[in-house]
Amino acid sequence: MDLKSGLPFWLIKNGLSTNYKRLENDIETDVLIIGSGITGALVAHFLCENNIKCIIVDKRMESTGSTTASTAQLQYEIDEYLFDLIEKVGEKNAVKAYKMCLESISTLEKIVKDLKIDADFKRIPSLYLASDAKGKKDLEREFETRKQHGLPVEYLSEKQLVSKYNIKRIAALYNNESAQVDTYKFCQAILDYHRKHSGLEVYSHTNITQIKSSKNTITATTDKNISIKAKKIVAAPGFESESLLDEKVMQLESTYVLVSQPMHPEDLWKEKCLIWETARPYLYIRTTEDNRIMVGGFDEPFQDPKKRDALMDKKNKDILKRFKKIFPESKIEMDFYWCGTFGGTKDGLPYIGEHKKHPNMYFALGYGGNGITFSVIAAEMIKDMYLGKQDEENIYRFGR
Ligand SMILES: Cc1cc2nc3c(=O)[nH]c(=O)nc-3n(C[C@H](O)[C@H](O)[C@H](O)COP(=O)(O)OP(=O)(O)OC[C@H]3O[C@@H](n4cnc5c(N)ncnc54)[C@H](O)[C@@H]3O)c2cc1C
């Protein structure tokens, strides 16, 4: 499946890795990770930190799946309101999921510092705008729910929004715990670090088409009939799980993004906050290091890449129109655009861990619009599972 089309900004900005090779001979390892996107890279990071021998394979050039298409807003708030999630999965699990997402941003920050990675990681506040009267009511309820559970959140009235941010919306939630990053650069930097310091091997253009498990080992075979024998396999195939998992757990959506020409800093909003809104589908907005505006949204149920791509021109116009409703005076002009596919689940939470039909495998799947925080959670949990520290109350388990 084509995961994306158009010109993802990060790929143009950073270029392709020159550090790649194909797998050409049979090989053995402790853990085979399928997928070199941000999820696979983070899994490798935690395994390498624990001296566990692992290799990564990817059927594409490394990290060029959804990770290149991501706008990489790092928010603890997920697509489901906390009060809705409580109804779906219970108070304990919902609050736990929100707190794990909050913690995961600090984990990412720590990785950036520990590995001395320069990937434009920046702590930046987030504004969640009410799109209409119902949105305002939902935000009021969400504010109370999050406050009750000790999550960082402030409520901004219409007056405060105008005076502080010159944004004409009737209410918003604000928090100072979000961040943004260049995920593609970040992902490549993690892989490069562990190639250099931990002996990690990464093979691109290596497509796993068959997996066979026996009692204590598992063997993956590529489309070129090369085999990889391991103790465990971690499947981190992003939104293409169909060839590896015998169950449909994600509903796929297409989303559209454009990036503006560089703006004068004084033409951007205060604090360059991350912005999103209560309308569904929602518009999501951030800025880049060189003061471009990155804005996306107008998601559609995914049918096929051709239909998704045919809508790009129309979606660009729709996105610009809606952006101008929030910032009527903006002189935004488009420079690049692309679209991508992502997948959500019925309760907004990912699937992480073992599946009864796939022995000796761990999965990390289905993360919705704020997938990167879930990638961090998945990577840490899978490392623990491998080390035998099983979480008996895995709230992300299959069959929940
Ligand atoms: C436009 C867009 C905007 C987004 N914005 C945000 C955001 O603001 N914040 C956020 O947190 N998240 C966002 N997301 C989601 C986020 O980008 C994803 O959750 C994340 O990139 C998924 O990373 P991944 O490593 O799991 O998947 P990928 O990056 O897709 O990596 C999976 C890799 O597995 C490989 N693979 C699959 N099957 C096989 C196989 N059989 N053999 C070998 N290799 C295989 C693929 O080639 C691919 O490279 C966005 C997504 C899109 C598309």
Side-chain angles (χ1 to χ4, degrees), residues 30-34 39 43 47 52 211 218 231-237 244-245 351-356 358-365 367 378-391 394 398:
D30 287 344
V31 181
L32 165 65
I33 301 165
I34 302 173
T39 313
V43 172
L47 294 180
I52 299 160
I211 293 178
I218 183 160
K231 291 179 186 154
K232 296 280 180 190
I233 287 181
V234 177
L244 302 174
L245 176 69
Y351 286 93
I352 301 171
E354 293 171 305
H355 188 285
K356 60 178 186 304
H358 300 275
N360 291 320
M361 286 184 77
Y362 302 117
F363 289 86
L365 297 173
Y367 338 90
E380 281 202 280
M381 285 179 65
I382 287 171
K383 177 262 296 170
D384 284 344
M385 287 173 192
Y386 183 82
L387 291 173
K389 295 184 225 159
Q390 198 88 358
D391 176 2
N394 176 3
F398 288 95

Side-chain angles (χ1 to χ4, degrees), residues 3 34-41 57-75 183 206-209 236-240 243-244 255-257 284 338-342 364 367-373 375:
L3 286 170
I34 302 173
S36 65
I38 189 64
T39 313
V57 294
D58 200 303
K59 63 184 179 184
R60 295 186 169 79
M61 277 292 296
E62 65 181 53
S63 323
T64 59
S66 304
T67 294
T68 26
S70 184
T71 52
Q73 289 160 238
L74 305 173
Q75 288 166 271
T183 324
T206 301
N207 186 9
I208 301 299
T209 49
F239 303 116
E240 294 172 303
S243 64
L244 302 174
T255 187
Y256 299 82
V257 186
Y284 45 95
W338 66 94
C339 60
T341 296
F342 70 97
Y367 338 90
N370 287 338
I372 298 162
T373 50
S375 298

